[in-house]
Amino acid sequence: KRVMTRRKHKNGSVTYQCCHSTHDRDTDCPVGERYDEKVIESAVYNAIGQYLMLAEKQAVQNREVGDLRKAAIRECADHIRNLQKQADQFKSAKLRLYEKYTSGLITREEYRKQKAEADAKLAENEEAIRQGHERMQALELAHSFVKSIFIHGHDNIEIVWKFRDIYEDTEGKK
């Protein structure tokens, strides 16, 4: 953690050496140790290459996760639309049932029985629509706030937010 001096030698090689260790033997730096510039550059370029490779892999994973979330939201919206179509069909069936009753095609008891069945199906359908809307809100919320989720076992789930985690500074972790 001290400044190093760059030296070019007659043979064309370049090395770095800790300035402090050349004058003071009581140091944490290796005394008189020289480090070849090509070795240092190679290590740095290798690390940059690995970092870029990881960053690219992470970007691909993030795109895939985003695409999966968007697909889940689309599926949920499609499911809600289908449920709403079914609700319209149930309502139409109830209207046709009433018309059959008023025109004398079915008895009052048959009408009440079939209407109760239609009402039960409609109530189930409306509950499914409500649950679909809740799921849609949860998916949209997750898509808005969550960048990625890493699972490191049953008791260790890491959430990476799309925003700065205010608790990260106070606790030192997410």
Side-chain angles (χ1 to χ4, degrees), residues 73-91:
I73 290 169
R74 278 192 303 274
E75 283 177 26
C76 192
D78 291 343
H79 182 64
I80 291 170
R81 274 192 294 280
N82 289 336
L83 289 170
Q84 288 170 335
K85 286 177 186 175
Q86 282 182 341
D88 291 342
Q89 291 170 352
F90 290 141
K91 289 174 186 175

